[in-house]
Amino acid sequence: MMTTQFRDGVQLTFDGGTVLVRSPGELEGAPGLLWDPRVRAYRAPAWRHGAVAAALGRLGIPCHDTVRAPLVATRDWRHVELRPYQQAALLAWEMSRRRGVVVLPTGSGKTRLAIAAMAGTRLATLCLVPTRVLLEQWIREIATFRPGRVGCFGDGAHTLEPITVATFESAYRYMPVLGNRFDLLIVDEVHHFGNGLRDEALEMSTAAARLGLTATPPRHGAAAARLEELIGPTVHELAIGDLVGGYLAPFDAIAMYLALTQLERARYDELIARFRAVHSAFRRLAPEGSWSEFVRTAVRTDEGRRALSAWRQARRLLAFTQSKREAVRTLLARHRDARTLVFTADNETAYAIAREHLIVPLTCDIGRKEREEVLLRFRAGELRSLVSARVLNEGLDVPDADVAIIVGGTLGEREHVQRVGRLLRPGPGKRALIYELVTPQTMEIQQARRRRKGLAPRVAPPM
């Protein structure tokens, strides 16, 4: 509904990650508009630009729209060869009006799929990645299919090109000036968004075409709904179980159940009882309450803070029990000739294993140059084993490995899928071996069950 006749029309401009809508009269019926008394104009988040312009058009309101100022992308792309499931994913994204999330397991070629989307659309593209390591990898991979420079925002660089890669943090910082320069937004490891943290980086982009990539999307709740709003729905999904034996190496997953010592059991039971007394009381009051809600409630009281401290101590106790220590020693000896990755729940455990077995640790404390040298030596066979808490989980281009020893983890299915995917690069006659060390009658049992769900096929087998 219009309350004023529009003689000169409405002006739409890009302003610091928003669409500024200057109108000679009041506006109703356009989505997301809020009145900004500071400039006496309406505003909407930049990602709503298309919807705002379309709504004004339906209302018959003439517009002078200067919001978009995309860079001119080169059409000179080399051919991008895709596997059948990658082609299917790209087609599904195209049919979803170039908006949506593609879910594929680690090691299945999500980056290659994204490059095919860039090459196929020929749009100016901004790629968002979570880490500086992935920043370097994406730039290298893009450069193999496209001549010319690739822009970079992150790790101290600020270069703008029609194809640009930026870390999440740099995008959040610079999107107020970058937001209208691209028509395609690609987000790697998109599961990091949807919970409010950094979501503004996606809101400040006018790109109508959006592609999210992940192996582990949020399934339910506010995060899943928000991600669908900002990127689009899941348009294609395959799990590790769907690709094993064809495009990923087959594997054997062996759960080793390792008991606590008598002293460890007594200490664990004491800590977990202290935690459960407070957690159970919270559950009675809020049966549907989330973990984050419990934490917010618990930190308000001394008793609650002691309960959280007990939970952290119990988790730390399970990270590297005496039985796990002995199992790691046995497994490393058994597979001394294999390339082995050891995954731990924390850096403290990673360093303990590194000291005991003279294994190079890869943690957040290791610089880029040293990390690259370590991976190069592992690829060449000079190093047979590596140990890491979290660095190897997500995105890092890990050389071929045969054996994984998962000593501990805290992030459930997502972390497990990422870690298993590190091993599944196919090779002639290869069959990967994954050991998961689990402590019975502890919180690790339920965690282990949840983790394995991520390895099951998503596509039902034919009848």
Side-chain angles (χ1 to χ4, degrees), residues 12-23:
L12 276 65
T13 57
F14 184 77
D15 183 47
T18 68
V19 176
L20 193 64
V21 184
R22 296 190 181 276
S23 165

Side-chain angles (χ1 to χ4, degrees), residues 47 92-102 184 206-212 226-235:
W47 71 280
W93 178 71
E94 290 279 2
M95 293 179 65
S96 187
R97 299 182 179 181
R98 295 179 175 176
R99 283 181 61 86
V101 175
V102 171
L184 171 57
T206 60
R210 298 183 172 212
L211 172 62
R226 183 62 170 153
L227 205 57
E228 181 169 349
E229 183 180 39
L230 291 174
I231 298 294
T234 296
V235 297

Side-chain angles (χ1 to χ4, degrees), residues 137-457:
Q137 291 180 190
W138 271 74
I139 291 173
R140 285 198 305 267
E141 189 72 11
I142 292 170
T144 63
F145 292 96
R146 177 183 177 274
R149 296 177 59 187
V150 177
C152 176
F153 275 76
D155 204 11
H158 306 94
T159 59
L160 181 63
E161 298 290 342
I163 306 296
T164 294
V165 186
T167 62
F168 292 169
E169 296 301 331
S170 292
Y172 181 81
R173 184 178 304 173
Y174 291 100
M175 199 64 88
V177 295
L178 297 177
N180 67 334
R181 308 307 307 276
F182 303 93
D183 286 332
L184 171 57
L185 181 67
I186 295 176
V187 187
D188 192 20
E189 309 294 355
V190 74
H191 54 264
H192 288 286
F193 292 90
N195 56 10
L197 185 64
R198 307 188 191 90
D199 284 1
E200 286 184 32
L202 307 186
E203 295 174 355
M204 290 188 285
S205 170
T206 60
R210 298 183 172 212
L211 172 62
L213 305 169
T214 181
T216 52
R219 300 291 180 187
H220 310 287
R226 183 62 170 153
L227 205 57
E228 181 169 349
E229 183 180 39
L230 291 174
I231 298 294
T234 296
V235 297
H236 187 82
E237 179 172 1
L238 293 175
I240 285 176
D242 298 309
L243 299 178
V244 161
Y247 298 104
L248 296 178
F251 66 93
D252 293 312
I254 301 172
M256 299 180 65
Y257 295 94
L258 306 169
L260 296 171
T261 65
Q262 187 174 358
L263 288 177
E264 289 171 338
R265 171 56 66 183
R267 179 58 175 162
Y268 177 82
D269 289 346
E270 175 192 350
L271 292 169
I272 212 67
R274 192 185 309 165
F275 163 74
R276 283 176 177 163
V278 175
H279 188 252
S280 297
F282 170 79
R283 282 294 182 201
R284 286 193 295 271
L285 295 174
E288 303 299 325
S290 67
W291 174 257
S292 59
E293 290 170 335
F294 167 69
V295 172
R296 286 196 296 270
T297 302
V299 295
R300 297 172 185 167
T301 66
D302 289 340
E303 186 182 27
R305 287 190 290 271
R306 285 193 293 270
L308 288 174
S309 175
W311 180 81
R312 287 190 291 267
Q313 291 179 66
R315 193 172 66 173
R316 193 177 305 121
L317 185 154
L318 296 179
F320 200 38
T321 64
Q322 183 61 37
S323 294
K324 288 184 177 182
R325 186 185 301 269
E326 294 170 0
V328 169
R329 182 185 305 115
T330 299
L331 293 173
L332 286 175
R334 177 179 298 175
H335 299 286
R336 62 171 57 90
D337 295 326
R339 295 184 186 180
T340 302
L341 300 176
V342 183
F343 295 100
T344 66
D346 51 49
N347 283 352
E348 182 181 354
T349 305
Y351 286 126
I353 292 174
R355 287 191 299 268
E356 287 185 30
H357 302 283
L358 301 180
I359 297 175
V360 176
L362 277 183
T363 70
C364 56
D365 302 323
I366 305 299
R368 181 180 64 181
K369 185 176 181 180
E370 183 178 356
R371 181 180 61 240
E372 291 176 349
E373 181 182 348
V374 166
L375 291 175
L376 185 63
R377 293 177 63 193
F378 187 77
R379 183 178 288 109
E382 297 176 24
L383 298 175
R384 307 301 297 181
S385 301
L386 299 176
V387 59
S388 172
R390 301 280 286 279
V391 170
L392 292 178
N393 284 3
E394 189 172 272
L396 193 61
D397 186 14
V398 180
D400 193 25
D402 311 299
V403 177
I405 304 172
I406 300 175
V407 179
T410 59
L411 299 183
E413 177 185 332
R414 176 170 296 157
E415 180 184 52
H416 195 58
V417 167
Q418 290 167 339
R419 287 177 165 184
V420 170
R422 302 290 101 197
L423 265 77
L424 301 186
R425 186 174 298 166
K430 177 178 177 178
R431 189 174 188 89
L433 192 55
I434 300 156
Y435 294 96
E436 185 179 8
L437 311 187
V438 183
T439 307
Q441 297 178 306
T442 70
M443 65 178 76
E444 287 191 336
I445 290 295
Q446 288 186 341
Q447 291 173 349
R449 289 171 181 163
R450 287 195 299 267
R451 286 195 291 261
R452 293 188 197 112
K453 291 180 181 178
L455 306 184

